[in-house]
Amino acid sequence: MTTITVQVDNEQNAALLEKMLKALSFVEDVDIKTHQPNMVEEPRGSYQKLKKAIDNTEGNLMFKDIKDPSNGKVI
């Protein structure tokens, strides 16, 4: 027997995948484990990590020290 672990992004997709797997004749068992609700969910991709960091900062303070390379002035 071989075990495959699959991580799904939300409960609705997990339920759909579970139903599909149970319909297959060669699948012996489907074991569902949900993540702990009190754990902090970390963003997975670099885009999501960057978006979370930007969302957690105040926009008007974020790039205040970056100079405009075309004229050398602070934006």
Side-chain angles (χ1 to χ4, degrees):
M1 177 170 53
T2 302
T3 301
I4 299 173
T5 303
V6 178
Q7 191 169 2
V8 182
D9 61 351
N10 63 52
E11 289 184 35
Q12 183 179 8
N13 289 341
L16 177 61
L17 182 59
E18 178 184 15
K19 186 184 285 189
M20 291 170 55
L21 289 172
K22 286 183 176 181
L24 297 173
S25 62
F26 58 87
V27 175
E28 289 184 26
D29 186 33
V30 178
D31 182 29
I32 304 295
K33 296 177 185 172
T34 57
H35 76 293
Q36 303 297 330
N38 58 354
M39 293 180 65
V40 175
E41 188 172 320
E42 278 294 316
R44 296 181 191 276
S46 57
Y47 169 78
Q48 291 297 330
K49 289 178 183 178
L50 182 59
K51 183 178 182 323
K52 183 179 178 184
I54 291 171
D55 289 345
N56 289 337
T57 60
E58 293 185 35
N60 59 347
L61 300 176
M62 196 163 169
F63 299 111
K64 71 176 188 165
D65 295 331
I66 297 178
K67 295 182 179 180
D68 182 354
S70 65
N71 62 18
K73 294 180 181 177
V74 176
I75 299 175

